[in-house]
Amino acid sequence: MPRSGHIEDKSEAYYVGLMNSVGFRKKDLTKPVIGVVNSWNDVNPGHKPLRELAQVVKEGVWSAGGAPAEFTVPAPCDGIAQGEGMHSILPSRDLIAGSIEAMVRAHGFDGLVFLCSCDKIVPAMLMAAAVLDLPSLFLTSGTMIPYREGGREFVTPDAKEAIGMRAGNSIDEATFDRWRENICFSGGTCAMYGTANTMGTFLEAVGLAPFYSATMLFAAAAKVRQARDVGERIVALTREGAKFSAFLNEKTLSNGIKYVSATGGSTNAVLHSLAIARAMGCALTLRDFDAIQASVPVIAKFKPSAKPNIDTYHQAGGVPAVLKTLRPNLDLSARLAMGGTLGEYLDAAAIAVNREVIRPLDDPLHEGGCFAILSGNLAPLGAVVKKSGVEPSMFRHKGPAVVFDSEEEVRDYLLAADVKKGSVLVIRYEGPKGGPGMRELSIPAAMLVGLGLHTSVAMITDGRFSGATRGPCVGHIAPEAWDGGLLCLVRDGDCIEIDLDAKTLTLHVDEAELARRAEKAVQPERPLRGVLAAYRAAVSGAEQGALWMYGG
């Protein structure tokens, strides 16, 4: 694939001539040509800083004797896409991965630097890197500056929960408007432990990005220095022939899953780990993921599951502090792309740990990991809940179903209706095929919290919840309603039982009644065209990572 060693071949004259036309000299093309894969755009706060960082990465590549060649890929913002736009978000993960793979194979780069930050873009780039298996490094933009008001710090999920607070009249219109305008305070990734920072810090935990890169404020001068380091380092990795698989493999993937679980990470990390593993050629199942994540305790939690935000996490020691704490549970022979092994780094680095934020192993916040992977007649292929974000009083909940066939229906209900305490809100036909696109229902989940109902009302769906979700919200129910999963037969008033300790999700309706309902079941009419039609036709179930271009 790489072409830099073959430009004297006369058959490469066309390549040399076309590269000359965009400014590369012939002698530049004898150097390692480094693809700088940039997901910068003007409409995603986590990605807006990447234009400047890309220039600094390229400076580092030049200074180390390489030739940087930048190209861009889409990077939608999950927050902006809430509602109708969310249908396209999970499909974009595989599209981004595929577009990177196609560009790199077409142009024959020697090594790659991936500039990414947000929810689907980090896993997309990991998937592409796994398939390409070239020397690779990753760099994220850093985090958003928290908004401060009245002695409090606010970050993105506070803006979503404010919708429920305003609906419940616990804040006035002026406060709501001020918060809406200011809580998302700057560029950078949202300063919460949602999917963006779960996956950004995962890059550090598996050794593919510099330590402290995801938790650092985007405006820090150290971020610029870090970008230059990455540019220099990728040239060295390329000359060594150190492939992506030398750094992300089965043992480091296990390290990464343990890290995510120990820090109360996003439920989306379950989907993405399965998808990345498939791209790596690794046979990771949902049950495998559960066993790995349950092998470590939860030693830290961040917004919205707890008070500390990502800047607080950075000040408390960041990812190295967590890895130092988890040391007995990790494979310390794992190589780091920035140099050395994880064990060598932990031996040599001066890592100060704030134990008020990152607890020791013998005094954790929770035992047995942050997730619960449920089964039962409602989810025979699995369902996922962020157990560490649920009040213990709601670990077991039994109540009557209130059924909705879309996110819009449940949003309207939460805004207008008198929600009965004890009920279970069922949102179906939001799975990978049914939605399509497995929309995240983060706004309904946040509204539940804002209305003060997260200690008395549960929510279950074949769609997803955000990494920023807290409360008794069970997602990823498989098989989904569109594929004939039992969810499609639930009726208002049916008794549903959730038991996080027993890891079960049960519909208490007798088999004869379910058989009668199945005879009359009608799938909603949701005609599609274009990308979403192709997605519905090819996508796998949530229990397999909702893949459609990489083994779906």
Side-chain angles (χ1 to χ4, degrees):
M1 187 190 307
R3 307 174 80 163
S4 60
H6 306 283
I7 67 160
E8 294 299 338
D9 186 332
K10 288 182 172 55
S11 66
E12 290 293 319
Y14 201 27
Y15 167 72
V16 173
L18 289 167
M19 290 292 276
N20 284 172
S21 76
V22 293
F24 289 90
R25 302 165 298 177
K26 184 178 176 183
K27 68 177 182 179
D28 296 331
L29 301 177
T30 65
K31 304 172 182 178
V33 179
I34 305 300
V36 179
V37 189
N38 193 355
S39 52
W40 163 83
N41 63 52
D42 257 344
V43 290
N44 183 336
H47 291 249
K48 189 163 186 180
L50 297 179
R51 176 156 59 177
E52 178 185 348
L53 287 179
Q55 300 310 309
V56 183
V57 168
K58 287 154 70 174
E59 290 171 8
V61 172
W62 283 121
S63 70
E70 181 182 0
F71 65 93
T72 59
V73 297
C77 171
D78 282 44
I80 289 172
Q82 289 296 316
E84 189 64 25
M86 186 54 67
H87 290 295
S88 298
I89 287 294
L90 188 57
S92 78
R93 182 193 65 186
D94 293 39
L95 282 173
I96 294 163
S99 68
I100 294 167
E101 182 190 344
M103 181 69 176
V104 172
R105 290 193 188 282
H107 277 240
F109 299 111
D110 298 292
L112 301 166
V113 174
F114 294 91
L115 293 168
C116 49
S117 288
C118 290
D119 300 44
K120 305 306 171 289
I121 299 86
V122 176
M125 290 189 173
L126 281 165
M127 290 162 63
V131 170
L132 293 163
D133 202 20
L134 291 170
S136 301
L137 268 173
F138 289 70
L139 186 66
T140 54
S141 69
T143 192
M144 189 180 285
I145 299 168
Y147 170 61
R148 295 173 175 86
E149 177 182 306
R152 289 180 58 193
E153 287 191 336
F154 296 81
V155 293
T156 307
D158 296 308
K160 290 189 285 187
E161 292 181 11
I163 299 170
M165 295 171 73
R166 183 68 192 108
N169 290 314
S170 60
I171 58 172
D172 60 24
E173 189 66 25
T175 300
F176 179 65
D177 193 54
R178 187 173 65 255
W179 287 3
R180 177 170 53 186
E181 185 174 333
N182 291 293
I183 282 176
C184 299
F185 194 68
S186 71
T189 56
C190 298
M192 62 180 178
Y193 207 50
T195 309
N197 280 314
T198 297
M199 298 309 298
T201 55
F202 171 90
L203 291 172
E204 297 182 42
V206 299
L208 286 168
F211 286 124
Y212 304 107
S213 52
T215 57
M216 181 185 298
L217 289 176
F218 89 98
K223 176 58 70 175
V224 177
R225 299 193 294 271
Q226 200 174 66
R228 192 169 285 111
D229 289 342
V230 164
E232 291 177 350
R233 180 62 181 160
I234 191 60
V235 177
L237 288 175
T238 302
R239 287 185 169 138
E240 292 168 18
K243 295 183 176 181
F244 175 85
S245 55
F247 305 103
L248 187 60
N249 44 54
E250 288 194 35
K251 68 183 179 183
T252 57
L253 181 61
S254 179
N255 281 354
I257 292 170
K258 290 174 183 178
Y259 162 80
V260 167
S261 181
T263 51
S266 166
T267 51
N268 285 316
V270 182
L271 277 180
H272 298 325
S273 296
L274 295 171
I276 293 161
R278 184 68 64 89
M280 292 165 57
C282 171
L284 180 77
T285 69
L286 187 58
R287 301 303 167 194
D288 296 332
F289 180 97
D290 192 25
I292 295 168
Q293 73 88 25
S295 70
V296 294
V298 178
I299 57 173
K301 293 198 297 187
F302 308 102
K303 270 284 194 177
S305 297
K307 185 178 179 180
N309 58 48
I310 299 303
D311 184 48
T312 314
Y313 180 22
H314 186 74
Q315 302 304 323
V319 175
V322 170
L323 298 179
K324 178 179 179 180
T325 305
L326 290 177
R327 182 176 183 138
N329 301 90
L330 302 176
D331 188 323
L332 301 177
S333 68
R335 290 180 61 187
L336 306 176
M338 294 302 287
T341 67
L342 177 58
E344 290 167 348
Y345 175 84
L346 295 177
D347 286 340
I351 305 168
V353 185
N354 181 341
R355 288 299 179 197
E356 291 184 5
V357 177
I358 300 167
R359 302 276 280 272
L361 280 178
D362 59 3
D363 184 27
L365 295 166
H366 306 283
E367 295 286 358
C370 84
F371 304 112
I373 306 300
L374 311 183
S375 58
N377 68 345
L378 258 183
L381 298 181
V384 179
V385 62
K386 187 173 177 177
K387 185 177 177 180
S388 63
V390 181
E391 293 290 333
S393 63
M394 290 294 288
F395 278 15
R396 186 174 183 191
H397 181 79
K398 191 174 184 179
V402 185
V403 183
F404 309 91
D405 286 348
S406 71
E407 176 187 5
E408 287 75 12
E409 288 183 14
V410 74
R411 279 205 212 185
D412 291 344
Y413 177 79
L414 288 168
L415 285 171
D418 180 16
V419 183
K420 290 183 173 61
K421 292 183 178 181
S423 57
V424 179
L425 308 184
V426 178
I427 307 97
R428 62 192 179 190
Y429 299 111
E430 288 289 4
K433 293 181 182 178
M438 202 179 179
R439 290 195 290 181
E440 70 170 35
L441 309 182
S442 66
I443 288 182
M447 290 169 69
L448 202 69
V449 174
L451 288 164
L453 295 170
H454 60 293
T455 56
S456 61
V457 175
M459 188 178 287
I460 70 171
T461 182
D462 50 8
R464 299 180 292 120
F465 289 105
S466 166
T469 296
R470 62 187 175 110
C473 298
V474 179
H476 306 205
I477 292 175
E480 61 175 293
W482 189 271
D483 263 349
L486 197 59
L487 205 63
C488 73
L489 302 182
V490 179
R491 300 291 180 265
D492 286 344
D494 287 351
C495 180
I496 292 176
E497 184 175 2
I498 304 165
D499 191 330
L500 303 191
D501 290 323
K503 296 187 175 182
T504 56
L505 180 63
T506 308
L507 175 66
H508 291 288
V509 176
D510 68 68
E511 292 295 328
E513 172 60 20
L514 291 174
R516 284 191 291 272
R517 292 180 187 180
E519 291 177 0
K520 299 178 182 179
V522 178
Q523 195 178 69
E525 289 190 18
R526 294 184 179 175
L528 296 171
R529 297 177 65 190
V531 168
L532 291 180
Y535 181 81
R536 175 178 283 168
V539 70
S540 68
E543 79 284 357
Q544 297 178 45
L547 284 154
W548 67 292
M549 292 176 64
Y550 284 84

